Amino acid sequence: MTWHTKIAIFDFFKGLFRPLAPRPPADPPGPRIYARSEHCISRALISDPALKVLYRLKKEGYQAYLVGGCVRDLLLGREPKDFDVVTNARPEEIRATFRNCRLIGRRFRLAHVHFGSQIVEVATFRGLAQDDETGDRVLENGRILRDNVYGTIEEDAFRRDFTVNALYYNIADFSVVDYMGGMEDHKASTLKLIGEPEARYREDPVRMLRAIRFAVRLGFTLHPSCAGPIPQMAPLLRQIPAPRLYDEVMKLFLGGYAVQTFEALRHYRLFGALFPDTEFSLSREEQGFPLTFVAQALDRTDRRVQEGKDVAPHFLFAALLWEPVRAHAENQIRDGANDIVAYQEAGADIVTKQIHQIAIPRSVSQPMRDIWALQPRFARLQGGRPFRLLTHPRFRAAYDFLVLRAESGEAEAALADWWTRFQDADEPEKKAMLREADRGNGRSKPRRRRHRPRKAVA
Ligand code: ATP
Ligand code: MG
């Protein structure tokens, strides 16, 4: 989902009307144009569908540009994730130009041009705020809730987030059009917000997360004027709808740079705004295993992404929230609760709290809770229990989780090792391992069950 689509989703927010948007200078300086010979973007690197859309719009007499992440990435010689097109054609005109086109969004309409399974998103230039309350830009405490004005290319550039995200590749002459000094910043590997940083963060606090994501991913330095306000402004993230934060967290941690991103988020006090319970645990035990555990889980995630393997979001979230779950469960166990029940309840409690902040869908939270709930069962090696655990649908993920815990020194290495051998053993070996465990030689004895005293009914 792109930025345009997300802003369109905010339509349902009805709130106080307070237009407060930054405005371009009354007489903005013209753009700097970088001719084809002055930049490295070759048409060979642009996808066929995107090129077709650009050429077709041009043929119909419209302006047509690539913009945003694709231009930024092409200038770095990287393959863009997707190609976003902007034009002065209005949505209805775009639809009339392409047969394979659908308009989406209710207030701000975007065109999706379909080429088989590929979609090229085409947006009309967006404008800036109106000065009065009849304007289409609606803000609450300086944050954009609705936005729906078509405008000129200058206005479109001004309302983008970073200067390097506001470069336009013009299909008419293959030049790069730069209104914001993005090309210089790009050459200097600097990430700089357009406009006044505090106002831009207040307008949309998610820009703080985007700043970290791009700085880490591109290897750019966040300009001091943009880095400075983040720690004080981080709590503004609490205003952001939880589904949007879920999408952002996925992008932050599944992009292949999770370890560096995590460190930067903590440095700028953004991590605590996203995962308050985890931050609380980490800040108490700065040098201890909780930090090692999260760092190792994220490192594993990065390695899988680099190897082109899938990363299950439930494994990632299970790791990010493990320490609060563990601490909560261990407290209950100290109070006499059964360990399996304690882990189940702690998992449920932590998820219930966390989803106010980040809308983790059930399809992710349920397997997360399974992984947590299975952890105490790994310590029960008596009777047929290990055989039953092996057949549990979530065994593999839970076992991988146990190995990570052992690697960070939080679980017993001997226990993880026992399960590693047990899985690969043939039937007679398995039985022998269980006999040994029963004799108490293999792994520690089962935790003695203690029952919580029943609460008196009032
Ligand atoms: P990625 O490679 O991660 O997709 P991107 O820069 O393309 O990076 P998108 O979220 O796809 O990021 O957004 C496309 C463009 O829309 C950005 O480059 C930027 O110009 C603009 N944009 C996105 N989000 C915002 C925002 N919150 N505020 C202002 N402009 C934004
Ligand atoms: Mg993009």
Side-chain angles (χ1 to χ4, degrees), residues 187-269:
K187 281 185 200 141
S189 301
T190 301
L191 195 63
K192 198 195 281 171
L193 276 165
I194 295 166
E196 203 276 302
E198 293 192 18
R200 298 313 305 277
Y201 288 144
R202 206 167 299 120
E203 235 185 31
D204 182 5
V206 169
R207 289 177 184 145
M208 294 186 274
L209 299 179
R210 291 173 63 85
I212 303 304
R213 177 155 68 87
F214 292 133
V216 169
R217 191 172 92 195
L218 305 171
F220 280 20
T221 306
L222 192 53
H223 191 274
S225 66
C226 307
I230 296 183
Q232 303 99 281
M233 299 190 81
L236 293 181
L237 282 176
R238 303 218 180 95
Q239 305 169 2
I240 300 298
R244 185 169 179 216
L245 280 189
Y246 177 75
D247 288 348
E248 287 301 323
V249 167
M250 296 286 280
K251 287 187 202 159
L252 283 165
F253 289 109
L254 298 182
Y257 301 91
V259 174
Q260 280 166 274
T261 303
F262 169 67
E263 283 164 4
L265 288 175
R266 288 203 75 213
H267 176 79
Y268 286 104
R269 301 204 203 130

Coordinates of all heavy atoms in Angstrom, one line a residue, residues 187-269:
K187 N 23.6 13.0 -3.7 CA 25.1 12.9 -3.9 C 25.8 12.8 -2.6 O 26.8 12.2 -2.4 CB 25.6 14.0 -4.8 CG 25.3 13.8 -6.2 CD 26.0 14.9 -7.1 CE 25.3 15.0 -8.4 NZ 25.1 16.4 -8.9
A188 N 25.3 13.6 -1.6 CA 26.0 13.7 -0.3 C 25.5 12.6 0.6 O 25.9 12.6 1.8 CB 25.8 15.1 0.3
S189 N 24.7 11.7 0.1 CA 24.1 10.7 1.0 C 23.4 11.2 2.2 O 23.6 10.7 3.3 CB 25.1 9.6 1.4 OG 25.7 9.0 0.2
T190 N 22.7 12.3 2.1 CA 22.0 12.9 3.2 C 20.5 12.8 3.1 O 19.9 13.0 2.0 CB 22.4 14.4 3.3 OG1 23.8 14.5 3.4 CG2 21.7 15.1 4.4
L191 N 19.9 12.4 4.1 CA 18.4 12.4 4.1 C 17.9 13.6 4.9 O 18.2 13.8 6.0 CB 18.0 11.1 4.9 CG 16.5 10.6 4.7 CD1 16.3 10.3 3.3 CD2 16.3 9.4 5.6
K192 N 17.2 14.4 4.1 CA 16.7 15.7 4.7 C 15.2 15.9 4.4 O 14.8 15.7 3.3 CB 17.5 16.9 4.0 CG 17.5 18.1 4.8 CD 17.9 19.3 4.0 CE 19.4 19.4 3.9 NZ 19.8 20.5 2.9
L193 N 14.5 16.3 5.4 CA 13.1 16.5 5.3 C 12.9 17.8 4.5 O 13.7 18.7 4.5 CB 12.4 16.7 6.6 CG 12.0 15.5 7.4 CD1 11.7 15.8 8.8 CD2 10.7 14.8 6.7
I194 N 11.8 17.9 3.7 CA 11.4 19.1 3.0 C 10.6 19.9 4.1 O 9.8 19.4 4.8 CB 10.5 18.7 1.8 CG1 11.3 17.9 0.8 CG2 9.8 20.0 1.3 CD1 10.4 17.3 -0.2
G195 N 11.0 21.2 4.1 CA 10.2 22.1 5.1 C 10.8 22.0 6.5 O 11.9 21.5 6.7
E196 N 10.0 22.5 7.4 CA 10.5 22.6 8.8 C 10.2 21.3 9.5 O 9.1 20.8 9.6 CB 9.7 23.7 9.5 CG 10.3 24.4 10.6 CD 10.1 23.6 11.9 OE1 8.9 23.4 12.2 OE2 11.0 23.1 12.5
P197 N 11.3 20.6 10.0 CA 11.2 19.2 10.4 C 10.1 19.0 11.5 O 9.3 18.1 11.4 CB 12.6 18.9 11.0 CG 13.5 19.8 10.2 CD 12.8 21.1 10.0
E198 N 10.1 19.9 12.5 CA 9.1 19.6 13.6 C 7.7 19.6 13.0 O 6.9 18.8 13.4 CB 9.3 20.6 14.7 CG 10.6 20.3 15.4 CD 10.7 21.1 16.8 OE1 9.7 21.5 17.3 OE2 11.9 21.2 17.2
A199 N 7.4 20.6 12.2 CA 6.1 20.7 11.6 C 5.8 19.5 10.7 O 4.7 18.9 10.8 CB 5.9 22.0 10.8
R200 N 6.8 19.0 10.0 CA 6.5 17.8 9.1 C 6.3 16.6 9.9 O 5.5 15.7 9.5 CB 7.7 17.7 8.2 CG 8.0 18.8 7.2 CD 6.8 19.3 6.4 NE 5.9 18.5 5.7 CZ 6.2 18.0 4.4 NH1 7.2 18.4 3.8 NH2 5.3 17.3 3.8
Y201 N 7.0 16.4 11.1 CA 6.8 15.3 11.9 C 5.4 15.3 12.6 O 4.7 14.3 12.8 CB 7.9 15.2 13.0 CG 9.2 14.7 12.5 CD1 10.4 15.3 13.1 CD2 9.4 13.8 11.5 CE1 11.7 14.9 12.6 CE2 10.6 13.4 11.1 CZ 11.8 13.9 11.6 OH 13.0 13.6 11.2
R202 N 5.0 16.6 13.0 CA 3.8 16.7 13.7 C 2.6 16.4 12.7 O 1.7 15.7 13.1 CB 3.6 18.1 14.2 CG 2.7 18.2 15.4 CD 2.8 19.6 16.1 NE 4.1 19.8 16.6 CZ 4.9 20.8 16.3 NH1 4.5 21.7 15.4 NH2 6.1 21.0 16.8
E203 N 2.8 16.8 11.5 CA 1.8 16.5 10.4 C 1.6 15.0 10.2 O 0.5 14.6 10.1 CB 2.4 17.1 9.1 CG 1.6 18.0 8.3 CD 2.3 18.3 7.0 OE1 3.0 17.5 6.4 OE2 2.1 19.4 6.6
D204 N 2.7 14.3 10.2 CA 2.6 12.9 10.0 C 3.8 12.2 10.8 O 4.9 12.1 10.3 CB 2.7 12.5 8.5 CG 2.6 11.0 8.3 OD1 2.4 10.3 9.3 OD2 2.8 10.6 7.2
P205 N 3.6 11.8 12.0 CA 4.7 11.3 12.9 C 5.3 10.0 12.3 O 6.5 9.7 12.6 CB 4.0 10.9 14.2 CG 2.8 11.8 14.2 CD 2.3 12.0 12.8
V206 N 4.6 9.3 11.3 CA 5.2 8.1 10.7 C 6.5 8.5 9.9 O 7.4 7.7 9.7 CB 4.2 7.4 9.8 CG1 4.8 6.4 8.9 CG2 3.1 6.8 10.7
R207 N 6.6 9.8 9.6 CA 7.9 10.2 8.9 C 9.1 10.0 9.7 O 10.2 9.8 9.2 CB 7.7 11.7 8.5 CG 6.7 11.9 7.4 CD 6.5 13.4 7.1 NE 5.5 13.5 6.1 CZ 4.6 14.5 6.0 NH1 4.7 15.5 6.9 NH2 3.7 14.6 5.1
M208 N 9.0 10.0 11.1 CA 10.1 9.7 11.9 C 10.6 8.2 11.7 O 11.8 7.9 11.6 CB 9.8 9.8 13.4 CG 9.5 11.3 13.8 SD 9.2 11.5 15.6 CE 7.5 11.1 15.7
L209 N 9.6 7.3 11.5 CA 10.0 5.9 11.2 C 10.6 5.8 9.8 O 11.5 5.0 9.6 CB 8.8 5.0 11.4 CG 8.1 5.0 12.8 CD1 6.9 4.0 12.7 CD2 9.1 4.5 13.8
R210 N 10.0 6.5 8.9 CA 10.5 6.5 7.5 C 11.9 7.0 7.5 O 12.8 6.5 6.7 CB 9.6 7.3 6.6 CG 8.2 6.6 6.4 CD 7.3 7.5 5.6 NE 7.7 7.8 4.2 CZ 7.5 7.0 3.1 NH1 6.9 5.9 3.3 NH2 8.0 7.4 2.0
A211 N 12.2 8.0 8.3 CA 13.6 8.6 8.3 C 14.6 7.5 8.7 O 15.6 7.3 8.1 CB 13.6 9.8 9.3
I212 N 14.2 6.8 9.7 CA 15.1 5.7 10.2 C 15.3 4.6 9.1 O 16.3 4.2 8.8 CB 14.6 5.0 11.5 CG1 14.4 6.1 12.6 CG2 15.5 3.9 12.0 CD1 15.6 6.9 12.9
R213 N 14.1 4.2 8.6 CA 14.1 3.1 7.6 C 15.0 3.5 6.4 O 15.8 2.7 6.0 CB 12.7 2.8 7.1 CG 12.6 1.8 6.1 CD 11.2 1.1 6.1 NE 10.1 2.0 5.7 CZ 9.7 2.2 4.5 NH1 10.3 1.6 3.5 NH2 8.7 3.0 4.2
F214 N 14.8 4.7 5.8 CA 15.6 5.1 4.6 C 17.0 5.3 5.0 O 17.9 4.9 4.2 CB 15.0 6.3 4.0 CG 13.6 6.1 3.4 CD1 12.6 7.0 3.6 CD2 13.4 5.0 2.6 CE1 11.3 6.8 3.1 CE2 12.1 4.8 2.0 CZ 11.1 5.7 2.3
A215 N 17.3 6.0 6.1 CA 18.7 6.2 6.5 C 19.5 4.9 6.6 O 20.6 4.8 6.0 CB 18.8 7.0 7.8
V216 N 18.9 3.9 7.2 CA 19.5 2.6 7.4 C 19.6 1.9 6.0 O 20.7 1.4 5.7 CB 18.8 1.8 8.4 CG1 19.3 0.3 8.4 CG2 19.0 2.4 9.8
R217 N 18.5 1.9 5.3 CA 18.5 1.1 4.1 C 19.4 1.7 3.0 O 20.1 0.9 2.3 CB 17.1 0.9 3.6 CG 17.0 -0.1 2.4 CD 15.6 -0.3 2.1 NE 15.2 0.6 1.0 CZ 13.9 0.8 0.7 NH1 12.9 0.2 1.3 NH2 13.6 1.6 -0.3
L218 N 19.4 3.0 2.9 CA 20.2 3.6 1.9 C 21.7 3.9 2.3 O 22.5 4.2 1.5 CB 19.6 4.9 1.4 CG 18.1 4.9 1.0 CD1 17.6 6.3 0.8 CD2 18.0 4.1 -0.3
G219 N 21.9 3.7 3.6 CA 23.2 4.1 4.1 C 23.4 5.6 4.1 O 24.6 6.1 4.0
F220 N 22.3 6.4 4.3 CA 22.4 7.8 4.3 C 22.5 8.3 5.7 O 22.1 7.7 6.6 CB 21.2 8.4 3.6 CG 21.2 8.4 2.1 CD1 22.0 7.6 1.4 CD2 20.3 9.3 1.4 CE1 22.0 7.6 0.0 CE2 20.3 9.3 0.0 CZ 21.2 8.4 -0.7
T221 N 23.0 9.6 5.8 CA 23.0 10.2 7.2 C 21.8 11.1 7.3 O 21.5 11.8 6.4 CB 24.3 11.1 7.3 OG1 25.4 10.3 7.0 CG2 24.4 11.7 8.7
L222 N 21.1 10.9 8.4 CA 20.0 11.8 8.7 C 20.5 13.2 9.0 O 21.3 13.3 10.0 CB 19.2 11.1 9.9 CG 17.8 11.7 10.1 CD1 16.9 11.6 8.9 CD2 17.2 10.8 11.2
H223 N 20.0 14.2 8.3 CA 20.5 15.5 8.6 C 20.2 15.9 10.0 O 19.1 15.6 10.6 CB 19.7 16.5 7.6 CG 20.3 17.9 7.6 ND1 20.0 18.8 8.5 CD2 21.3 18.4 6.8 CE1 20.7 19.9 8.2 NE2 21.4 19.7 7.2
P224 N 21.2 16.6 10.7 CA 21.0 16.9 12.1 C 19.6 17.6 12.4 O 19.0 17.4 13.4 CB 22.1 17.8 12.4 CG 23.2 17.5 11.4 CD 22.5 17.0 10.2
S225 N 19.2 18.5 11.5 CA 17.9 19.2 11.7 C 16.7 18.2 11.8 O 15.7 18.5 12.4 CB 17.7 20.2 10.6 OG 17.4 19.6 9.4
C226 N 16.9 17.0 11.2 CA 15.8 16.1 11.1 C 16.0 15.0 12.3 O 15.0 14.5 12.8 CB 15.8 15.3 9.8 SG 15.7 16.4 8.4
A227 N 17.2 14.8 12.6 CA 17.5 13.8 13.7 C 17.2 14.4 15.1 O 16.6 13.8 15.9 CB 19.0 13.4 13.7
G228 N 17.5 15.7 15.2 CA 17.4 16.4 16.5 C 16.0 16.3 17.2 O 16.0 15.9 18.4
P229 N 14.9 16.6 16.5 CA 13.6 16.6 17.2 C 13.0 15.2 17.5 O 12.1 15.1 18.2 CB 12.7 17.4 16.2 CG 13.6 17.8 15.1 CD 14.8 17.1 15.1
I230 N 13.6 14.2 16.9 CA 12.9 12.9 17.0 C 12.7 12.4 18.5 O 11.6 12.0 18.8 CB 13.6 11.8 16.1 CG1 13.5 12.2 14.7 CG2 13.0 10.4 16.4 CD1 14.1 11.1 13.7
P231 N 13.8 12.4 19.3 CA 13.5 11.8 20.6 C 12.3 12.4 21.4 O 11.5 11.7 22.0 CB 14.8 12.0 21.4 CG 15.9 12.0 20.3 CD 15.2 12.7 19.1
Q232 N 12.2 13.8 21.3 CA 11.1 14.4 22.0 C 9.8 14.2 21.3 O 8.7 14.2 22.0 CB 11.2 15.9 22.1 CG 12.5 16.5 22.7 CD 13.4 16.9 21.6 OE1 14.1 16.1 21.1 NE2 13.5 18.2 21.3
M233 N 9.8 14.0 20.0 CA 8.6 13.9 19.3 C 8.1 12.4 19.1 O 7.0 12.2 18.7 CB 8.7 14.5 17.9 CG 9.0 16.0 18.0 SD 8.9 16.9 16.4 CE 7.1 17.2 16.3
A234 N 8.9 11.5 19.5 CA 8.6 10.1 19.3 C 7.2 9.7 19.9 O 6.5 8.9 19.3 CB 9.7 9.2 20.0
P235 N 6.9 10.2 21.1 CA 5.5 9.8 21.6 C 4.4 10.2 20.7 O 3.3 9.6 20.9 CB 5.4 10.6 23.0 CG 6.9 10.9 23.3 CD 7.6 11.1 22.0
L236 N 4.5 11.0 19.7 CA 3.5 11.3 18.8 C 3.0 10.1 18.0 O 1.9 10.1 17.5 CB 3.9 12.4 17.8 CG 4.1 13.8 18.3 CD1 4.5 14.8 17.2 CD2 2.9 14.3 19.1
L237 N 3.9 9.1 18.0 CA 3.5 7.9 17.2 C 2.3 7.2 17.9 O 1.6 6.4 17.2 CB 4.6 6.9 17.2 CG 5.7 7.2 16.2 CD1 6.9 6.2 16.4 CD2 5.2 7.1 14.8
R238 N 2.0 7.5 19.1 CA 0.8 6.9 19.8 C -0.5 7.3 19.1 O -1.5 6.7 19.3 CB 0.8 7.3 21.3 CG 2.0 6.9 22.0 CD 1.8 6.4 23.4 NE 3.1 6.0 24.0 CZ 3.8 6.8 24.8 NH1 3.3 8.0 25.1 NH2 5.0 6.5 25.2
Q239 N -0.4 8.5 18.4 CA -1.7 9.0 17.7 C -2.0 8.2 16.4 O -3.0 8.4 15.9 CB -1.5 10.4 17.3 CG -1.2 11.3 18.5 CD -0.8 12.7 17.9 OE1 -0.9 13.0 16.7 NE2 -0.4 13.6 18.8
I240 N -1.0 7.5 16.0 CA -1.2 6.9 14.6 C -2.1 5.6 14.7 O -1.9 4.8 15.6 CB 0.2 6.5 14.1 CG1 1.1 7.7 13.9 CG2 0.1 5.8 12.7 CD1 0.5 8.8 13.0
P241 N -3.0 5.5 13.8 CA -3.8 4.3 13.8 C -3.0 3.0 13.8 O -2.0 2.9 13.0 CB -4.7 4.4 12.5 CG -4.6 5.8 12.2 CD -3.3 6.4 12.7
A242 N -3.4 2.0 14.7 CA -2.6 0.8 14.9 C -2.4 0.0 13.6 O -1.3 -0.6 13.4 CB -3.2 0.0 16.0
P243 N -3.3 0.0 12.6 CA -3.1 -0.8 11.4 C -1.9 -0.2 10.6 O -1.1 -0.9 10.0 CB -4.4 -0.7 10.6 CG -5.4 -0.4 11.7 CD -4.7 0.4 12.7
R244 N -1.9 1.1 10.6 CA -0.8 1.7 9.8 C 0.6 1.4 10.4 O 1.6 1.2 9.7 CB -1.0 3.3 9.7 CG 0.0 3.9 8.8 CD -0.4 5.4 8.5 NE 0.7 6.0 7.6 CZ 1.1 7.2 7.7 NH1 0.6 8.0 8.6 NH2 2.0 7.7 6.9
L245 N 0.6 1.5 11.8 CA 1.9 1.2 12.4 C 2.3 -0.3 12.2 O 3.5 -0.6 12.1 CB 1.8 1.4 13.9 CG 1.9 2.9 14.3 CD1 2.1 3.0 15.8 CD2 3.1 3.6 13.6
Y246 N 1.3 -1.2 12.1 CA 1.7 -2.6 11.8 C 2.4 -2.7 10.5 O 3.5 -3.3 10.3 CB 0.4 -3.5 11.8 CG 0.7 -4.9 11.4 CD1 1.4 -5.7 12.3 CD2 0.5 -5.4 10.1 CE1 1.7 -7.1 12.0 CE2 0.8 -6.7 9.8 CZ 1.4 -7.5 10.7 OH 1.7 -8.8 10.4
D247 N 1.9 -2.0 9.4 CA 2.5 -2.0 8.1 C 3.9 -1.4 8.2 O 4.9 -2.0 7.6 CB 1.7 -1.1 7.1 CG 0.4 -1.8 6.7 OD1 0.2 -3.0 7.1 OD2 -0.4 -1.1 6.1
E248 N 4.1 -0.3 9.0 CA 5.4 0.3 9.0 C 6.4 -0.6 9.8 O 7.5 -0.7 9.4 CB 5.3 1.6 9.8 CG 4.6 2.7 9.0 CD 5.4 3.0 7.6 OE1 6.6 3.0 7.6 OE2 4.7 3.3 6.7
V249 N 5.9 -1.3 10.8 CA 6.8 -2.1 11.6 C 7.3 -3.3 10.7 O 8.5 -3.7 10.7 CB 6.1 -2.6 12.9 CG1 6.9 -3.8 13.5 CG2 6.1 -1.5 13.9
M250 N 6.4 -3.8 9.9 CA 6.8 -4.9 9.0 C 7.9 -4.4 8.0 O 8.9 -5.1 7.8 CB 5.6 -5.3 8.1 CG 4.5 -5.9 9.0 SD 4.9 -7.6 9.5 CE 4.5 -8.4 8.0
K251 N 7.7 -3.2 7.5 CA 8.7 -2.6 6.6 C 10.0 -2.4 7.3 O 11.1 -2.6 6.8 CB 8.2 -1.3 6.0 CG 7.2 -1.5 4.9 CD 6.9 -0.2 4.3 CE 5.5 -0.2 3.6 NZ 5.0 1.2 3.4
L252 N 9.9 -1.9 8.6 CA 11.2 -1.6 9.3 C 12.0 -2.9 9.6 O 13.2 -2.9 9.5 CB 10.8 -1.0 10.7 CG 10.4 0.4 10.7 CD1 9.7 0.8 12.0 CD2 11.6 1.3 10.5
F253 N 11.3 -4.0 9.9 CA 12.0 -5.2 10.3 C 12.2 -6.3 9.3 O 12.9 -7.2 9.5 CB 11.4 -5.8 11.6 CG 11.6 -4.9 12.8 CD1 10.6 -4.2 13.4 CD2 12.9 -4.7 13.4 CE1 10.8 -3.3 14.5 CE2 13.1 -3.9 14.4 CZ 12.1 -3.2 15.0
L254 N 11.5 -6.2 8.2 CA 11.6 -7.2 7.2 C 12.3 -6.8 5.9 O 12.2 -7.4 4.9 CB 10.2 -7.8 6.8 CG 9.4 -8.4 8.0 CD1 8.1 -9.0 7.5 CD2 10.2 -9.5 8.7
G255 N 13.0 -5.7 6.0 CA 13.7 -5.1 4.9 C 15.1 -5.6 4.7 O 15.8 -5.2 3.8
G256 N 15.6 -6.5 5.7 CA 17.0 -7.0 5.6 C 18.0 -6.2 6.4 O 19.1 -6.5 6.4
Y257 N 17.5 -5.2 7.1 CA 18.4 -4.3 8.0 C 17.8 -4.2 9.4 O 17.9 -3.2 10.0 CB 18.6 -2.9 7.4 CG 19.1 -2.9 6.0 CD1 18.3 -3.0 4.9 CD2 20.5 -2.9 5.8 CE1 18.8 -3.0 3.6 CE2 21.0 -3.0 4.5 CZ 20.2 -3.0 3.4 OH 20.7 -3.0 2.1
A258 N 17.2 -5.3 9.9 CA 16.5 -5.2 11.1 C 17.4 -4.9 12.3 O 17.0 -4.1 13.2 CB 15.8 -6.6 11.4
V259 N 18.6 -5.4 12.4 CA 19.5 -5.2 13.5 C 19.8 -3.7 13.6 O 19.6 -3.0 14.7 CB 20.8 -6.0 13.4 CG1 21.7 -5.6 14.6 CG2 20.5 -7.5 13.5
Q260 N 20.3 -3.1 12.5 CA 20.7 -1.7 12.5 C 19.4 -0.8 12.8 O 19.5 0.2 13.5 CB 21.2 -1.3 11.1 CG 22.7 -1.7 10.9 CD 23.0 -1.5 9.5 OE1 22.7 -2.4 8.7 NE2 23.5 -0.3 9.1
T261 N 18.3 -1.2 12.2 CA 17.1 -0.5 12.4 C 16.7 -0.5 13.9 O 16.3 0.6 14.4 CB 15.9 -1.1 11.5 OG1 16.4 -1.1 10.2 CG2 14.6 -0.3 11.6
F262 N 16.8 -1.6 14.5 CA 16.4 -1.7 15.9 C 17.3 -0.8 16.7 O 16.8 -0.1 17.6 CB 16.6 -3.2 16.3 CG 16.6 -3.5 17.8 CD1 15.4 -3.3 18.5 CD2 17.7 -3.9 18.5 CE1 15.3 -3.6 19.9 CE2 17.6 -4.2 19.8 CZ 16.5 -4.0 20.5
E263 N 18.6 -0.8 16.4 CA 19.5 0.0 17.2 C 19.2 1.5 17.0 O 19.2 2.3 18.0 CB 21.0 -0.3 16.8 CG 21.5 -1.6 17.4 CD 22.7 -2.1 16.8 OE1 23.3 -1.5 15.9 OE2 23.1 -3.2 17.2
A264 N 18.9 1.9 15.8 CA 18.6 3.3 15.5 C 17.3 3.6 16.2 O 17.1 4.7 16.7 CB 18.5 3.5 14.0
L265 N 16.3 2.8 16.1 CA 15.0 3.1 16.7 C 15.1 3.3 18.2 O 14.5 4.2 18.8 CB 14.0 1.9 16.5 CG 13.4 1.8 15.1 CD1 12.6 0.5 15.0 CD2 12.6 3.0 14.6
R266 N 16.0 2.4 18.8 CA 16.2 2.6 20.3 C 17.0 3.9 20.6 O 16.6 4.7 21.5 CB 17.0 1.4 20.8 CG 16.2 0.2 20.9 CD 16.7 -0.8 21.9 NE 16.4 -0.4 23.3 CZ 17.2 -0.7 24.3 NH1 18.4 -1.3 24.1 NH2 16.9 -0.3 25.5
H267 N 18.0 4.2 19.7 CA 18.8 5.4 19.9 C 17.9 6.6 19.9 O 18.0 7.6 20.7 CB 19.8 5.5 18.8 CG 20.6 6.7 18.8 ND1 21.7 6.9 19.7 CD2 20.5 7.9 18.1 CE1 22.2 8.1 19.5 NE2 21.5 8.7 18.5
Y268 N 16.9 6.7 19.0 CA 16.0 7.8 18.8 C 14.7 7.7 19.7 O 13.8 8.5 19.5 CB 15.6 8.0 17.3 CG 16.8 8.6 16.5 CD1 17.5 7.7 15.7 CD2 17.2 9.9 16.7 CE1 18.6 8.2 15.0 CE2 18.2 10.4 15.9 CZ 19.0 9.6 15.1 OH 20.0 10.1 14.4
R269 N 14.7 6.8 20.6 CA 13.6 6.5 21.5 C 12.2 6.3 20.8 O 11.2 6.6 21.3 CB 13.4 7.7 22.4 CG 14.6 8.0 23.2 CD 14.3 8.7 24.5 NE 15.5 9.4 25.0 CZ 15.6 10.7 25.3 NH1 14.5 11.4 25.3 NH2 16.7 11.2 25.7

